Amino acid sequence: AYGASKAPLAQILRSLSVELRGTNVCVHNIAPGIALTALQMAGHWADLDTLRIFNILAETPKTIADNLVPRIRSVVARGQSGTTLRYLTQASVMWRCLTAAWRVNRWFDIWNGGRPAFNATALLSPSTPDDPSKAAPPPPSAAEQAETLSAAREAVARAEEPPRKQARWAGQSSARASSKTQSTSGFGVPRPPVRKGP
């Protein structure tokens, strides 16, 4: 339903720009993308999959405004009409998805239940929810942020270990497993020693 409601805007923009041609009225379409606002965050504080997407694609309203407002003024100054101004283009979305590894926990710490990794006071809804469990979690402290950063660095270090070292560890573990298998029968009972010679 959300996509269906947005799709007609392009046709409405084209129709209005044609009907209003020759007048002093200009029509434009602004697509700001995903903005981190209280309305956007409503009902998504506990949805880790959505928070992962927000880490990749979302921006603060100020960042979006700093990008779009000069472009809007430029279009108005030139007297253009029927223009669509997008903050997130297809190319930028693809780039953000390709560089998603560098955007992990950018806004929300997924490893700690989606806790905000920034001051989320401005995103809290003015009305207090009836269920306290649905309230937004408090921002992490400096110690918690340092602990999360340390855990992230350790995970990256483990992932970037040389393949030879990892292979050697795998070989050692497989050798230990095979020696244990040879020393026991199929039912876990130790095998009797094999006598050699008379």
Side-chain angles (χ1 to χ4, degrees), residues 8-187:
L9 293 178
Q11 183 59 45
I12 293 174
L13 177 65
R14 287 191 291 267
S15 300
L16 289 178
S17 61
V18 172
E19 292 179 6
L20 298 174
R21 187 175 299 167
T23 66
N24 293 328
V25 179
C26 297
V27 184
H28 304 284
N29 187 8
I30 299 176
I34 302 176
L36 292 174
T37 61
L39 179 62
Q40 183 70 57
M41 291 304 305
H44 295 303
W45 288 103
D47 189 350
L48 295 183
D49 291 335
T50 301
L51 296 183
R52 287 188 180 94
I53 297 175
F54 287 170
N55 281 337
I56 299 173
L57 300 179
E59 289 291 347
T60 62
K62 183 181 184 304
T63 301
I64 297 174
D66 290 343
N67 176 274
L68 289 179
V69 169
R71 296 166 58 190
I72 295 172
R73 291 176 176 173
S74 175
V75 169
V76 172
R78 293 196 300 267
Q80 296 179 347
S81 183
T83 304
T84 298
L85 300 176
R86 295 184 176 87
Y87 178 76
L88 280 179
T89 61
Q90 291 183 352
S92 64
V93 170
M94 291 179 62
W95 172 251
R96 286 169 179 260
C97 291
L98 290 174
T99 58
W102 287 269
R103 304 173 189 272
V104 175
N105 299 336
R106 180 171 172 239
W107 300 117
F108 304 96
D109 189 352
I110 303 300
W111 299 337
N112 285 324
R115 294 172 64 90
F118 62 103
N119 186 2
T121 304
L123 297 184
L124 301 181
S125 177
S127 59
T128 304
D130 298 333
D131 186 358
S133 63
K134 296 181 180 179
S141 63
E144 291 173 338
Q145 292 182 10
E147 183 180 354
T148 301
L149 181 59
S150 176
R153 287 174 177 172
E154 291 178 3
V156 172
R158 288 194 299 269
E160 293 179 350
E161 287 179 352
R164 293 181 180 177
K165 191 173 183 180
Q166 295 178 357
R168 185 170 66 250
W169 288 349
Q172 292 175 354
S173 59
S174 62
R176 286 195 296 268
S178 62
S179 63
K180 291 181 180 178
T181 303
Q182 293 174 0
S183 62
T184 60
S185 64
F187 298 98

